Amino acid sequence: MDKDDGTLLDDIVKTLQVEGESAKFADLSADTAAEFFSGSDPAAKHTDSRNGKAAIVLSEAKNQPVSGSARAPVETQMPDLTSMDLQTLRQVAVKCTRCPLHKDREHVVFGCGQVPAELMFIGEAPGAEEDSKGVPFVGAAGQLLTQMIKSMQFQRSDVYISNIVKCRPPGNRIPEDSEAQTCMPFLRRQIELVSPKVIVLLGAVPLKYILNKTGITSLRGRWESYGGIRVMPTFHPAYLLRNENAKKFVWEDLQQVMKCFGKVHKPVRERTS
């Protein structure tokens, strides 16, 4: 390559660099950017001098629905819940932005059932279907829980069901400690209002945050106490869907709960010809 060719190549490279740098901002003029950050409506006044793309993009973004969690200011302090009734407590929970879980939720899954109720079930966290419908235990694990409740000679409407956290963790992961601790005041007040005779803990997470204990495999089936309320830890229904053999252990646990209410399992007698 001779000198003239090298000089020409240098000129081409410099030109491409200049074009590349300016292209980063080619779709957004300085005036449009200034109006966007000042809160005015850029689409009403400006179109980019070359192709109008910036105004279109900003106009579309302006018309997109904004989730309630995105609009709401982040709250850091929990209000005094001790005197709230269930309806007021639910309203506060629905607006809660005190942990990062609020950012991706579709619904706050507060709880459902009879209040007061003699029997209360506490799970871990909402899943995808619960987040979509705003009701706890409505997916596959929830259907199994409903069967378990019926086997105990209760109706689902007779009991109260809630979770440690009210918003779905991303990917159905286990709630982080900070998330659970932030949400626990709601659950503690729910327990006070429901005033159950017995609480059934479904899995390791409620065992940890209600009783401050670990080891669901060794502690399931053993009576515990929370604030004078009898507590029975057992496996979570989602675990039973993956481990059919564990159902017999859960049934043993639930029969102990039934005895507290004077209920005894009556097996169906085999038909004789």
Side-chain angles (χ1 to χ4, degrees):
M1 181 182 293
D2 58 27
K3 182 177 180 181
D4 290 338
D5 290 338
T7 301
L8 179 60
L9 181 59
D10 289 341
D11 290 342
I12 293 172
V13 170
K14 290 178 181 179
T15 301
L16 291 173
Q17 289 176 337
V18 172
E19 289 295 326
E21 292 174 357
S22 63
K24 295 177 183 178
F25 306 98
D27 291 335
L28 186 63
S29 68
D31 290 341
T32 302
E35 291 196 7
F36 175 75
F37 287 109
S38 67
S40 59
D41 186 355
K45 296 182 180 180
H46 284 278
T47 300
D48 185 272
S49 58
R50 279 175 285 184
N51 55 25
K53 186 181 292 184
I56 295 172
V57 171
L58 292 174
S59 178
E60 290 177 350
K62 181 175 181 292
N63 292 324
Q64 290 297 317
V66 180
S67 66
S69 58
R71 288 194 301 265
V74 176
E75 303 167 357
T76 57
Q77 294 184 346
M78 181 72 74
D80 184 8
L81 308 179
T82 56
S83 61
M84 290 186 183
D85 60 19
L86 198 68
Q87 182 178 359
T88 305
L89 189 69
R90 179 189 291 272
Q91 292 172 351
V92 174
V94 166
K95 297 178 181 178
C96 181
T97 59
R98 292 174 183 83
C99 86
L101 293 183
H102 80 275
K103 297 178 181 179
D104 299 316
R105 74 188 178 208
E106 184 174 349
H107 290 97
V108 170
V109 184
F110 181 72
C112 68
Q114 182 75 23
V115 179
E118 290 189 313
L119 181 58
M120 182 174 185
F121 292 84
I122 299 176
E124 177 180 311
E129 291 194 52
E130 289 78 14
D131 180 49
S132 175
K133 298 179 180 179
V135 180
F137 284 93
V138 292
Q143 294 172 20
L144 180 54
L145 176 60
T146 300
Q147 294 175 10
M148 291 161 56
I149 293 170
K150 289 182 178 180
S151 296
M152 298 174 70
Q153 301 170 25
F154 287 92
Q155 296 298 317
R156 183 171 166 128
S157 58
D158 297 330
V159 306
Y160 193 84
I161 305 172
S162 191
N163 283 302
I164 293 296
V165 297
K166 313 301 185 193
C167 300
R168 180 195 180 196
N172 291 352
R173 62 164 171 76
I174 295 174
E176 295 179 358
D177 186 67
S178 60
E179 297 162 351
Q181 295 294 356
T182 298
C183 216
M184 277 299 295
F186 290 113
L187 182 58
R188 293 191 188 100
R189 181 58 181 159
Q190 281 178 299
I191 294 173
E192 291 175 358
L193 293 168
V194 174
S195 188
K197 180 178 179 181
V198 176
I199 296 175
V200 176
L201 302 182
L202 301 170
V205 173
L207 177 68
K208 176 180 179 180
Y209 291 104
I210 294 295
L211 299 178
N212 195 29
K213 294 185 178 183
T214 59
I216 186 64
T217 301
S218 59
L219 292 178
R220 57 138 288 270
R222 293 171 46 180
W223 283 109
E224 302 284 347
S225 179
Y226 172 85
I229 302 170
R230 301 192 74 183
V231 176
M232 175 57 69
T234 194
F235 292 129
H236 194 285
Y239 177 79
L240 302 182
L241 294 175
R242 303 188 302 269
N243 300 272
E244 289 280 334
N245 292 335
K247 288 184 177 180
K248 61 182 179 182
F249 301 118
V250 172
W251 181 229
E252 291 174 0
D253 303 341
L254 298 183
Q255 287 186 84
Q256 292 192 65
V257 175
M258 291 170 61
K259 291 179 181 178
C260 292
F261 299 98
K263 299 176 183 291
V264 179
H265 174 59
K266 299 177 181 178
V268 178
R269 295 179 179 179
E270 295 182 0
R271 293 182 180 180
T272 57
S273 56

